[in-house]
Amino acid sequence: MHSSVTSLFDYARLRVSIRDIQKYLPQGPGYKSEVQALSEILQNKEVPRETSFDLAEVINFAGWQGAVVSSGFRDFRRFTSAIAIVLIHYGNILEGVRPANYLARDLIIDVEESMIVDRQWLQLVRDVFLPTRDLLAASDDADYPFFTLGEMILAQLANDYESAASLATQLIEEESRVRNDKGLIFAFKRSFLLDLTFFDQFHQDWIKFASRLKNPLKDENTQLIIETFADYAARKKENFGREF
């Protein structure tokens, strides 16, 4: 287990209580077993090596909520996202936990609190992004370049524009590698990165993240990524009348 994964989990764990778990889980048929599953993790200070239906349910429930949530729910979602990262690093199948680009999105949206960047959470998430990217790449998960884009976004939030520029180059190379992999067949091959995954229900968030990218170093690849996502957003608005 990479040390960054443990650090992320410990930070998130210390900021929730059993009362929070009881408060933020939805009252439904699986409520009691879901509360028990999370409470055991909180009390034992460790995540089970194998995922379960209850854990997958709560991770995805928290992830499906929007970016604008209460600070208490944000802490709760950070906890469930950290559990998901641990489960992935234990080798659990992504689809049984949370699709990779969805989980990357979940971690990014909780970096900001009322548009104020939580610097400690930002650093912890940055530390875990590339080790997770490498793990996913080694397992042939086609979503792994989303973690590179995510780290690029996080690097800019930390004003680390040199790292962000280097990541832009990596992202373009990775996207091309996945796109040209003959073992991967995609119905549409028009949009950079976004059409490399079948899990597309949070593309609007990725477009918003990309719209905030800057290019103070005048880096060619960074500019290409910025313009590519801007063009995609403009086409979506023209075709569907929606602004992302």
Side-chain angles (χ1 to χ4, degrees), residues 113-127:
E113 295 192 31
S114 301
M115 301 307 293
I116 298 173
V117 175
D118 180 338
R119 293 290 167 182
Q120 188 170 359
W121 181 250
L122 169 61
Q123 187 59 56
L124 289 165
V125 174
R126 283 193 70 188
D127 290 344

Side-chain angles (χ1 to χ4, degrees), residues 91-154:
N92 288 271
I93 298 173
L94 263 295
E95 285 76 5
V97 180
R98 179 86 167 147
N101 87 73
Y102 290 2
L103 179 56
R105 166 263 184 192
D106 298 345
L107 290 162
I108 293 171
I109 62 172
D110 286 335
V111 166
E112 293 182 340
E113 295 192 31
S114 301
M115 301 307 293
I116 298 173
V117 175
D118 180 338
R119 293 290 167 182
Q120 188 170 359
W121 181 250
L122 169 61
Q123 187 59 56
L124 289 165
V125 174
R126 283 193 70 188
D127 290 344
V128 86
F129 253 58
L130 293 186
T132 303
R133 187 274 311 273
D134 293 344
L135 182 72
L136 297 177
S139 66
D140 294 325
D141 190 292
D143 277 13
Y144 79 86
F146 281 91
F147 272 83
T148 304
L149 173 59
E151 175 62 9
M152 180 183 174
I153 292 161
L154 295 168

